[in-house]
Amino acid sequence: MLAAQAKLVYHLNKYYSEKCLSRKAAISKSIREVCKVVSDVLKEVEGQEPRFISSLNEMENRYEGLEVISPSEFEVVLYLNQMGVFNFVDDGSLPGCAVLKLSDGRKRSMSLWVEFITASGYLSARKIRSRFQTLVAQAVDKCSYRDVVKIVADTSEVRLRIRDRYVVQITPAFKCTGIWPRSAAHWPMPHVPWPGPNRVAEVKAEGFNLLSKECYSLNGKQSSAESDAWVLQFAEAENRLIMGGCRKKCLSVLKTLRDRHLELPGQPLNNYHMKTLVSYECEKHPRESDWDESCLGDRLNGILLQLISCLQCRRCPHYFLPNLDQFQGKPNSALENAAKQTWRLAREILTNPKSLEKL
């Protein structure tokens, strides 16, 4: 048994150094190319409208606010200033969303975003995004990369297509630190020993972001309350959670397997699903020794089996907001197909670790 485990870990480490690291290098190169264009567009936007200041800064070889959705798809979060006169309200009526309400009607004129406040005193995510989209469309025509960048039509999101190779979504957002949403107040679960009080304090101190993007309720249509609402995102908190041991290596292997074998019709799976399942696996295996390099094979198998279970049940709860299903809106046939493909992949890896050379 130990020999089989060691053999799997050996082949996974080989896979990591041969396939995962080259994937990372290729993505880093793409990010530089994409960020040059996006920075230029945002510089033009800032020239037209100084309230939208570019926050896309490179720090220690990574760009703040940039998320990799897939090797050709990225999201750039543009942090806005001055949320000050608004109260953050998440009463659970819109899963995964919250609203920003004027703390005092008399403060309306003090807000930097006065013309985006609705009659009922909410700062409208949709109105801000609509204004931003207009500015980006104008900036694309003026910027020095205008020959290689186009704005994607037929969406209220701000999406750019660059060199017909990459799609980048630019999302206006507010950073919220020092508070933690009520809809995530159950975390961490009292009976789960992971991640421990110190890490919990660090994660909560990272806070969360409020993103201006489309959020659909179960019927797939957007109500006016939803279009004014902001989407909760925990990227920095999630990154801090999966530090230490072989967690990041495990996630890197999962992302590489997804990119190479689970990029399927209907796009049932993205890298964020993988990140979510790594966090759940950490709860199931709370000891640091469970994430020793020698356990990489066990952890990977556990996550792949959990992924198959989620696909078969057609439900993948968000880690911090379990009422939010990350498979919502995905076609059942796409989820079934993904379950079959993931099962094939897991079986192949488990029964014949050497097959990783071809995967």
Side-chain angles (χ1 to χ4, degrees):
M1 186 66 195
L2 279 173
Q5 201 179 16
K7 187 180 176 188
L8 177 54
V9 171
Y10 167 78
H11 283 289
L12 282 170
N13 278 322
K14 196 166 176 234
Y15 186 80
Y16 178 77
S17 55
E18 287 172 8
K19 310 265 170 66
C20 302
L21 292 180
S22 63
R23 172 191 178 272
K24 276 186 174 181
I27 288 176
S28 292
K29 196 175 167 209
S30 302
I31 286 172
R32 292 198 172 281
E33 201 176 329
V34 159
C35 285
K36 267 186 207 163
V37 178
V38 173
S39 295
D40 201 56
V41 170
L42 290 177
K43 198 170 76 190
E44 284 292 336
V45 168
E46 199 179 313
Q48 296 173 61
E49 170 57 277
R51 286 181 296 183
F52 292 102
I53 299 168
S54 174
S55 54
L56 186 63
N57 301 315
E58 191 178 3
M59 289 163 69
E60 296 167 13
N61 283 337
R62 60 184 289 267
Y63 285 87
E64 194 191 2
L66 183 129
E67 289 286 308
V68 178
I69 314 292
S70 77
S72 60
E73 200 177 340
F74 307 93
E75 181 171 20
V76 170
V77 172
L78 181 77
Y79 293 110
L80 307 174
N81 289 327
Q82 275 204 12
M83 198 181 94
V85 298
F86 298 96
N87 285 338
F88 165 78
V89 183
D90 71 325
D91 56 8
S93 59
L94 297 169
C97 298
V99 291
L100 292 172
K101 188 162 176 41
L102 268 179
S103 53
D104 179 341
R106 290 166 299 182
K107 290 183 176 173
R108 181 182 285 262
S109 59
M110 292 163 60
S111 170
L112 184 65
W113 307 99
V114 61
E115 73 270 40
F116 305 110
I117 302 171
T118 65
S120 0
Y122 294 107
L123 180 62
S124 169
R126 180 185 48 83
K127 287 183 176 182
I128 284 188
R129 190 166 70 250
S130 173
R131 172 79 180 122
F132 182 58
Q133 191 176 42
T134 305
L135 291 166
V136 169
Q138 291 165 1
V140 162
D141 289 339
K142 288 182 182 170
C143 78
S144 47
Y145 291 96
R146 54 187 169 275
D147 297 339
V148 296
V149 60
K150 296 182 189 77
I151 196 150
V152 177
D154 307 327
T155 171
S156 85
E157 313 276 24
V158 179
R159 288 202 185 112
L160 301 178
R161 190 177 298 284
I162 298 172
R163 299 188 203 282
D164 283 329
R165 227 179 330 175
Y166 308 112
V167 173
V168 187
Q169 180 161 324
I170 312 176
T171 306
F174 287 106
K175 200 187 243 315
C176 303
T177 48
I179 55 171
W180 190 249
R182 192 172 5 164
S183 45
H186 65 281
W187 184 86
M189 298 286 202
H191 60 279
V192 178
W194 184 83
N198 292 348
R199 181 62 58 92
V200 168
E202 283 174 17
V203 166
K204 288 191 171 180
E206 283 289 353
F208 56 96
N209 296 321
L210 291 174
L211 306 185
S212 169
K213 63 199 297 188
E214 291 173 0
C215 64
Y216 292 101
S217 63
L218 291 171
N219 61 9
K221 293 209 171 63
Q222 208 175 23
S223 69
S224 62
E226 283 171 311
S227 65
D228 291 332
W230 297 76
V231 175
L232 292 156
Q233 185 230 41
F234 298 83
E236 297 303 326
E238 287 157 352
N239 289 340
R240 193 165 279 274
L241 262 186
I242 57 170
M243 288 162 82
C246 67
R247 292 175 179 87
K248 281 194 163 177
K249 184 184 271 191
C250 188
L251 178 57
S252 191
V253 171
L254 287 161
K255 285 176 175 179
T256 308
L257 288 169
R258 190 218 72 89
D259 289 353
R260 295 167 75 95
H261 304 283
L262 298 169
E263 182 66 73
L264 302 167
Q267 296 187 308
L269 290 176
N270 59 38
N271 287 333
Y272 190 70
H273 296 125
M274 303 302 181
K275 197 180 190 184
T276 300
L277 292 172
V278 170
S279 298
Y280 280 121
E281 188 74 5
C282 290
E283 284 194 351
K284 285 188 211 154
H285 299 277
R287 296 194 308 261
E288 275 311 301
S289 57
D290 294 333
W291 291 88
D292 188 76
E293 289 283 334
S294 62
C295 300
L296 180 60
D298 290 348
R299 295 296 77 81
L300 185 86
N301 280 327
I303 293 166
L304 288 174
L305 293 174
Q306 183 61 61
L307 175 58
I308 294 163
S309 169
C310 286
L311 288 162
Q312 287 173 337
C313 299
R314 297 170 190 165
R315 183 168 161 73
C316 179
H318 187 285
Y319 180 66
F320 286 117
L321 309 169
N323 289 340
L324 188 64
D325 176 18
Q326 294 181 73
F327 286 160
Q328 189 184 307
K330 302 280 183 194
N332 285 348
S333 57
L335 296 173
E336 277 167 28
N337 182 29
K340 284 178 190 153
Q341 296 292 347
T342 308
W343 173 241
R344 274 186 206 135
L345 206 56
R347 194 177 53 199
E348 185 92 18
I349 292 167
L350 196 56
T351 57
N352 178 21
K354 204 170 185 317
S355 67
L356 280 158
E357 289 173 7
K358 296 191 185 72
L359 290 176

